[in-house]
Amino acid sequence: MTQDITTRILHADRLAAVEHGAVLKPLHIATAYGYATAEELTAVFQGQRSGHIYGRQGNPTTAALETKISLMEDAVGTVCFATGMAAICSSLLALLKKGDHVVASRFLFGNTASWMNTLTQLGCEVSLVDATDAANVAAALRPQTRMVFVETIANPRTQVADLAGIGTLCAEHGLLYVVDSTMTTPHLFQPKSVGASLVVHSLSKSICGHGNALGGSVSDTGRFDWDRYPNLLPAYRKGPATGWGLLQIRKKGLRDIGATLSAEHGHRIAAGAETLALRMDRACANTLALAQWLEAQPLVARVHYPGLASHPQHARSRALFRNFGALLSFESVPGIDPFEVLNALQLVIKASHLGDNRTLALPVARTIFWEMGAEQRASMEIADSLIRVSVGIEARDDLLADFAQAFSRLSVKRPA
Ligand SMILES: *Cc1c(COP(=O)(O)O)cnc(C)c1O
């Protein structure tokens, strides 16, 4: 019986037999794990027996969270990291080597884009393409291409990748297909359904939701044939091939690099994940209401939200996702200063971060996309007036009332 993800994760700890019949996995804060005999310790080291060795490679609390993320993604396994960036950076370092080529979306999350740039300094080549059309990905493929990396819904402009088309392409070419599904979460979309090999999440965002923990994860959907992947070390080609990729990610990406998720943060993320579906439903409904309200404002030039019929990938989003996400962005008409808009908001917090229970907003061009400069902003279609809103779970009417009072106080400034 395939259960709903909320039902599955609510009972996951209990079904794994927690000590004393506790219904939640406790916090395991030990650094070391002891064994009665040298033989047992050795068996764990050599992978003949499962068990924990040292806290850098994980702990039972984090392992319980990994089980839940695997349940949510219908994955064969998951490795957690200290942050979403740690998950991305460590996994790619574990799987790529000098001379490899990666095709990635050119609308990537800013820090991931910056990391792709670092990869080129380490001897990999990266082609950034408009991934809203799989034909652009196909055109960029080379004999050395190892991996295609895309996000489901881009932040902040909400372009939706051609997820199914790229899945087909990757299957045809035997390529590793990595999908960052942070913006959709497992409640809206399972990348496995379009053939993703690995699914990445920033757990710091909607999966945790409460803005009180950082974390990241990478899950293996079981769709990729690791036997065909040339960069796996012989030591990790043991047992069934389904486990090889994650084993190398755990050993090279977690054990050697050490960006480990702490038990405390893993515990808070697991608690947040229990209400993911409830929170996402409400946040998505709020976001659609706000997007529609903004689209009707004369002082707003454009609203970017996949739930609007005006969005270029609206039909694709409707076909693939349960709902359209909790992030929108909008551009004001000339003469409206985005700072004035933001400063007029009273409930909405001026802050970075997204997927929080609270609604957060920021001026994109002068904050998260400032470092890259005007030229790259233009190539990524980031207007100077763009405001990003990560919509929370406040009551819809309170949220709309805050925007209404803010817009009622704006004045169009004509150039002198
Ligand atoms: C935030 C984010 C990340 C990075 O996650 P952190 O937990 O902040 O390191 C990666 N990808 C996407 C799409 C994100 O929104």
Side-chain angles (χ1 to χ4, degrees), residues 83-85 88 109 112 151 155 180 182-183 202 204-205 215 354:
T83 64
M85 283 317 301
I88 294 170
F109 171 66
T112 307
E151 294 165 358
N155 152 25
D180 180 336
T182 300
M183 302 290 290
S202 166
S204 326
K205 311 289 172 55
L354 56 90

Side-chain angles (χ1 to χ4, degrees), residues 171-257:
E172 279 165 12
H173 293 266
L175 293 171
L176 193 66
Y177 182 21
V178 185
V179 177
D180 180 336
S181 188
T182 300
M183 302 290 290
T184 28
T185 80
H187 180 55
L188 303 190
F189 177 60
Q190 275 181 343
K192 182 177 180 176
S193 66
V194 293
S197 323
L198 296 176
V199 182
V200 171
H201 285 291
S202 166
L203 304 174
S204 326
K205 311 289 172 55
S206 304
I207 290 183
C208 175
H210 296 70
N212 60 356
L214 294 165
S217 65
V218 55
S219 303
D220 186 333
T221 64
R223 288 272 154 102
F224 186 71
D225 179 7
W226 289 103
D227 206 11
R228 295 178 59 169
Y229 199 70
N231 298 352
L232 294 186
L233 299 168
Y236 308 133
R237 292 175 157 266
K238 300 238 169 76
T242 37
W244 296 354
L246 272 196
L247 183 60
Q248 183 153 318
I249 289 174
R250 193 179 286 282
K251 298 282 188 178
K252 294 277 122 194
L254 187 60
R255 184 198 63 190
D256 293 6
I257 297 176

Side-chain angles (χ1 to χ4, degrees), residues 16-199:
V18 182
E19 41 275 44
H20 310 294
V23 298
L24 279 181
K25 189 73 180 174
L27 273 176
H28 282 272
I29 54 171
T31 306
Y33 297 83
Y35 293 89
T37 63
E39 285 81 359
E40 285 173 75
L41 174 66
T42 305
V44 176
F45 255 90
Q46 296 184 2
Q48 289 135 10
R49 191 189 136 157
S50 68
H52 290 274
I53 294 175
Y54 180 67
R56 187 179 346 97
Q57 290 147 77
N59 60 71
T61 309
T62 302
L65 174 64
E66 289 171 346
T67 300
K68 288 174 197 169
I69 295 165
S70 294
L71 286 171
M72 294 198 285
E73 289 295 357
D74 194 21
V76 296
T78 296
V79 180
C80 281
F81 291 87
T83 64
M85 283 317 301
I88 294 170
C89 173
S90 306
S91 302
L92 269 53
L93 274 179
L95 295 175
L96 295 170
K97 63 179 196 220
K98 192 173 157 193
D100 286 346
H101 176 241
V102 177
V103 181
S105 163
R106 72 178 168 91
F107 306 120
L108 287 179
F109 171 66
N111 301 160
T112 307
S114 169
W115 159 240
M116 291 289 170
N117 197 22
T118 306
L119 264 185
T120 65
Q121 291 168 1
L122 299 176
C124 294
E125 293 197 54
V126 180
S127 302
L128 299 177
V129 304
D130 177 352
T132 60
D133 186 347
N136 298 326
V137 176
L141 297 183
R142 303 179 192 168
Q144 305 78 17
T145 308
R146 291 274 166 265
M147 175 187 295
V148 177
F149 187 105
V150 300
E151 294 165 358
T152 52
I153 304 177
N155 152 25
R157 279 276 273 97
T158 74
Q159 297 95 335
V160 178
D162 185 358
L163 293 159
I166 298 169
T168 306
L169 185 75
C170 288
E172 279 165 12
H173 293 266
L175 293 171
L176 193 66
Y177 182 21
V178 185
V179 177
D180 180 336
S181 188
T182 300
M183 302 290 290
T184 28
T185 80
H187 180 55
L188 303 190
F189 177 60
Q190 275 181 343
K192 182 177 180 176
S193 66
V194 293
S197 323
L198 296 176
V199 182

